[in-house]
Amino acid sequence: MNKKIGIITFHAAENFGSALQAYALQKILQEYGFDVSIIDAILDLDMQQYNIFKTYLYLEHPKNLVRDILHFSYTKKRKTNFKMFKEQYMKLTPKKYHLGIDSLEELNSSFDIFVCGSDQIWNLNCTNGFVPEYFLDFVKNDRKKISYAPSMPCEISPQYYEKVRRSINRIDYVSVREKQTVKYLCESLKIDKNISNVLDPTLLLDKNIYIDDFKLVEDNEKYIFVYMLYDDNKRQMNKVIDLALELSKNKKLKVKYVYMNKIKKLKDAEFVLGIGPKEFLEMIYNAEYVITNSFHATVFSILFEKSFCVIKRIGSQSRMIELLHMIEMEKNLYSDSTSSWTMSKVQDNNILLLDTEKKKSRLFLEKALEITID
């Protein structure tokens, strides 16, 4: 009988990267022959941001009501697309749990192995403090515990050091997504444990798996895909828009974009807010060029071998810089202070470098799961 694995991650977030990393990790573990389920556990506070009407914002920011009304149809469509994605591509536990309210201890009788990760489940800014379930505190000592590529992109308050240290020391095999996190956990939190640096799970799957699983079809329409996450740095946001307009003019290509609002300067572009994870992949798969400040849009631009440009974004630039540096594509990182940046396409040597890192990450999982590969 196949051993059962339970994954705890940000699977329910209506965010392309969150959904696709959850799918990817589940897929990888299934390929190894395990019976895998994603624990349907949600952090209610984190999920508020995906409400159609964000009433908790209206008192201090009344303009948000107007925005929510204007974007009602897009938000509703997005919720439908993400719901369909979860139903079709994720195997969830029959029971839903609300973190901080429901106990997860009963799951010890359902799974042999527990995996926490990937995504920013260890980013205490995202979770608004220490959430013990994301560190597998509910798992008993006789069950194997693995962390696979959780992200902790920024330093945490010293008040949480002891809790984080204790929890990570209980995990049997520890890995994180960023190299800087390995150093931070060992040197600042004094965790005396072997901590591996591994790739985001979306990078471990071959591009053909995404093409086949999601039935991606080549489209004859040529366009530039722009995917922007909100950034407080308005200057950087304007650079994304200006770059898209310049490229559109030079290449005579239409722009399709996803952002939290319609952008006046992109008046002739197609606003595609409301798409789901599958459509997000299709957008990148069929784009001639991709311009983004998103880590996962960068990931899939690389996997689908697109010409792309990455704009630095507060809070996530370190992982994008690290990824581009790893495959020697640092020049795809936009800089307005130099003309040396490019919008080049992934080449064979870049793929070879990525394959080397994939093998290292796979080896971590195989060791943790006690898998022997002939």
Side-chain angles (χ1 to χ4, degrees):
M1 187 176 184
N2 291 348
K3 286 190 174 182
K4 295 183 177 182
I5 296 179
I7 299 171
I8 187 163
T9 188
F10 285 162
H11 72 287
E14 290 171 18
N15 171 286
F16 303 128
S18 295
L20 289 164
Q21 64 81 24
Y23 151 83
L25 184 55
Q26 178 182 257
K27 181 82 174 179
I28 293 156
L29 297 175
Q30 287 171 337
E31 285 180 353
Y32 283 127
F34 293 93
D35 182 355
V36 186
S37 295
I38 295 171
I39 299 167
D40 197 5
I42 62 169
L43 191 62
D44 291 326
L45 189 65
D46 184 56
M47 294 301 293
Q48 282 185 334
Q49 62 184 302
Y50 306 114
N51 292 345
I52 292 178
F53 291 102
K54 301 169 188 64
T55 54
Y56 64 97
L57 293 175
Y58 297 163
L59 191 60
E60 289 188 26
H61 307 283
K63 287 184 179 180
N64 276 278
L65 173 58
V66 177
R67 180 187 176 278
D68 287 348
I69 292 170
L70 291 174
H71 289 85
F72 174 80
S73 60
Y74 294 108
T75 310
K76 189 175 180 182
K77 182 182 176 183
R78 182 192 69 196
K79 293 190 86 66
T80 299
N81 281 329
F82 272 86
K83 183 174 182 288
M84 288 171 59
F85 181 86
K86 280 197 299 181
E87 290 172 350
Q88 189 170 355
Y89 297 105
M90 294 183 192
K91 180 186 174 186
L92 304 180
T93 53
K95 182 176 177 179
K96 177 177 281 189
Y97 300 86
H98 295 267
L99 300 181
I101 300 172
D102 302 323
S103 171
L104 274 60
E105 287 189 10
E106 65 185 22
L107 290 167
N108 283 278
S109 61
S110 300
F111 298 105
D112 305 289
I113 302 167
F114 290 85
V115 179
C116 60
S118 168
D119 217 344
Q120 297 190 62
I121 59 168
W122 286 4
N123 181 349
L124 305 197
N125 289 337
C126 283
T127 58
N128 197 34
F130 177 77
V131 178
E133 292 88 349
Y134 288 137
F135 291 83
L136 302 179
D137 278 16
F138 65 94
V139 182
K140 293 181 178 178
N141 290 333
D142 64 349
R143 294 290 186 264
K144 182 174 285 187
K145 298 169 284 296
I146 302 168
S147 74
Y148 186 80
S151 179
M152 187 185 282
C154 47
E155 294 185 1
I156 62 175
S157 170
Q159 67 177 305
Y160 297 117
Y161 277 18
E162 183 54 38
K163 288 181 178 179
V164 171
R165 186 186 302 115
R166 186 193 67 242
S167 296
I168 291 178
N169 278 329
R170 287 189 71 244
I171 298 173
D172 300 298
Y173 291 88
V174 182
S175 69
V176 293
R177 192 168 66 182
E178 287 86 26
K179 286 181 180 178
Q180 67 180 29
T181 305
V182 177
K183 183 178 180 181
Y184 177 61
L185 292 176
C186 293
E187 295 183 2
S188 296
L189 271 72
K190 309 297 182 186
I191 294 174
D192 185 19
K193 201 172 188 73
N194 184 43
I195 301 175
S196 299
N197 170 229
V198 294
L199 295 179
D200 187 272
T202 54
L203 285 161
L204 298 190
L205 295 177
D206 184 81
K207 67 177 181 180
N208 290 317
I209 292 176
Y210 293 106
I211 293 168
D212 294 341
D213 268 18
F214 298 106
K215 297 179 174 57
L216 304 183
V217 179
E218 289 189 12
D219 193 334
N220 292 325
E221 186 180 13
K222 297 183 183 299
Y223 58 87
I224 301 159
F225 180 54
V226 179
Y227 176 49
M228 292 184 290
L229 296 170
Y230 178 77
D231 193 331
D232 287 330
N233 189 333
K234 301 295 183 185
R235 188 165 175 269
Q236 289 290 71
M237 295 299 292
N238 287 329
K239 286 295 177 185
V240 177
I241 298 165
D242 292 342
L243 185 59
L245 289 170
E246 183 181 357
L247 188 64
S248 175
K249 181 180 178 181
N250 292 341
K251 301 294 182 180
K252 295 180 172 56
L253 291 174
K254 179 180 182 178
V255 173
K256 296 186 180 186
Y257 73 99
V258 175
Y259 185 54
M260 61 186 292
N261 297 313
K262 283 187 176 180
I263 298 170
K264 290 181 181 179
K265 289 177 72 174
L266 295 177
K267 59 183 178 180
D268 296 323
E270 184 178 345
F271 183 53
V272 292
L273 181 69
I275 62 173
K278 179 181 183 295
E279 295 76 24
F280 172 72
L281 289 180
E282 285 177 332
M283 282 287 173
I284 297 176
Y285 181 64
N286 282 297
E288 290 292 302
Y289 299 90
V290 177
I291 301 171
T292 188
N293 64 358
S294 154
F295 174 77
H296 281 102
T298 303
V299 165
F300 289 105
S301 297
I302 292 167
L303 291 178
F304 293 143
E305 299 171 35
K306 295 296 169 179
S307 297
F308 69 96
C309 176
V310 179
I311 313 290
K312 292 179 182 178
R313 176 174 171 264
I314 296 170
S316 65
Q317 63 184 34
S318 62
R319 60 181 176 271
M320 292 189 287
I321 293 169
E322 189 174 301
L323 173 58
L324 295 175
H325 177 76
M326 182 187 73
I327 61 170
E328 296 181 356
M329 293 195 74
E330 302 99 316
K331 286 190 175 181
N332 283 57
L333 189 68
Y334 176 81
S335 172
D336 57 5
S337 62
T338 174
S339 59
S340 64
W341 69 275
T342 67
M343 192 175 276
S344 57
K345 189 178 288 190
V346 179
Q347 304 296 321
D348 289 345
N349 65 302
N350 307 121
I351 296 297
L352 286 172
L353 290 168
L354 180 58
D355 286 344
T356 299
E357 295 302 320
K358 281 184 184 181
K359 288 176 183 176
K360 292 178 185 177
S361 297
R362 288 272 190 175
L363 281 172
F364 168 83
L365 275 175
E366 288 156 13
K367 181 180 179 182
L369 296 167
E370 299 180 52
I371 294 169
T372 302
I373 304 295
D374 296 327

